[in-house]
Amino acid sequence: MPAVPLHGHQRHDRLVALRTLFTWAKWNGLIFRNPTSRIKVGQYEYAVLQPLVPEQVDRSVAAATTPATRLILALAAVHAARVAQIANFMLDDLDMGNGRLTIAGRVRPLDDLTLKLLLEWLEHRRCRWPNTANPHLLIDNQTATRTSRASNHWISASMRGQDATLERLRVDRQLEEALTHGPDLLHLAEVFGLDEKTAMRYADSARQLLETAAEQKPRDGRQ
């Protein structure tokens, strides 16, 4: 049977999948050249995700001036947690003894920075609201006397107006993973629980950024 040409979203999705597959093969030394690298995807291609610059991140870090906001920033920037996931984080999701925390049902290793900020926040929480029965990790004056979670507005308030918002920090963390470990959508899906299309977008953006960086690198070592 003759091949049926693909158009629109079908063509885009198929090409992105092939690009990711061939990029993985090239990254692992199975092929020498990606045959899909110069094929234009067309009008349905997403814009390439761009990493944040250090100055943008520094301004958000400077804006996080309380134990709560510092922990919130870390959960977004280190663990790629969404605002709602941070708000829903429960005390029972912490396993500091085994160095783990659970975000949206996925167990993640607890790094030293997040552990330090967790201990700082928990001490602040204990001193500020010693009798609270709220099972959520992050609470405020309104939720300390209840058992409901804090609002998304409260969680994201300190980063509002910054270039590196919590959402941008979350995206940047996932893009960093793709750039550091290679544009492997299976790895991204495993680490962050991404669906196939979202993992493809990060993998494709990382591939294009890595290819651009390689093309711009001087071949003879001169600047």
Side-chain angles (χ1 to χ4, degrees):
M1 295 180 62
V4 178
L6 298 176
H7 301 281
H9 285 291
Q10 286 186 329
R11 179 180 184 276
H12 168 268
D13 292 345
R14 185 68 57 84
L15 182 54
V16 169
L18 288 171
R19 277 186 171 183
T20 301
L21 175 63
F22 282 116
T23 297
W24 176 86
K26 184 179 178 182
W27 189 269
N28 287 275
L30 301 178
I31 59 175
F32 293 103
R33 180 176 176 275
N34 184 344
T36 65
S37 62
R38 297 187 180 276
I39 301 177
K40 294 186 180 296
V41 175
Q43 62 179 331
Y44 292 98
E45 184 175 17
Y46 289 111
V48 176
L49 295 169
Q50 297 295 325
L52 292 166
V53 299
E55 292 79 8
Q56 293 173 317
V57 178
D58 289 344
R59 287 194 291 271
S60 289
V61 171
T65 58
T66 68
T69 55
R70 286 191 285 269
L71 176 57
I72 289 167
L73 186 145
L75 291 173
V78 178
H79 299 280
R82 296 179 180 274
V83 170
Q85 292 171 346
I86 296 172
N88 284 315
F89 200 106
M90 310 294 283
L91 290 170
D92 287 346
D93 292 328
L94 292 177
D95 184 359
M96 290 189 287
N98 291 308
R100 298 179 302 191
L101 69 167
T102 302
I103 299 176
R106 300 189 70 82
V107 178
R108 295 184 54 80
L110 181 57
D111 58 287
D112 291 341
L113 173 61
T114 306
L115 175 59
K116 174 180 179 294
L117 296 175
L118 274 166
L119 292 173
E120 181 185 43
W121 161 249
L122 289 172
E123 177 62 18
H124 174 82
R125 172 189 160 121
R126 184 188 66 79
C127 294
R128 182 73 179 273
W129 302 288
N131 298 315
T132 182
N134 194 313
H136 293 85
L137 173 65
L138 287 150
I139 57 176
D140 57 15
N141 287 330
Q142 283 69 45
T143 59
T145 57
R146 304 195 296 267
T147 57
S148 56
R149 72 176 182 87
S151 68
N152 290 358
H153 177 84
W154 181 79
I155 293 292
S156 58
S158 63
M159 297 299 111
R160 194 166 292 113
Q162 298 291 330
D163 292 324
T165 62
L166 294 180
E167 177 62 14
R168 288 287 308 278
L169 288 165
R170 181 187 70 82
V171 169
D172 190 69
R173 172 66 185 92
Q174 292 174 164
L175 181 60
E176 176 196 39
E177 187 77 17
L179 291 169
T180 302
H181 293 275
D184 183 349
L185 73 146
L186 297 179
H187 173 77
L188 293 170
E190 175 63 26
V191 171
F192 299 112
L194 302 178
D195 60 56
E196 183 179 3
K197 285 190 176 182
T198 304
M200 279 184 181
R201 186 183 182 193
Y202 282 102
D204 199 45
S205 290
R207 176 192 59 77
Q208 293 186 57
L209 290 170
L210 291 169
E211 288 182 356
T212 300
E215 291 170 358
Q216 294 176 347
K217 184 178 180 180
R219 294 181 181 276
D220 57 3
R222 293 178 296 180
Q223 299 297 321

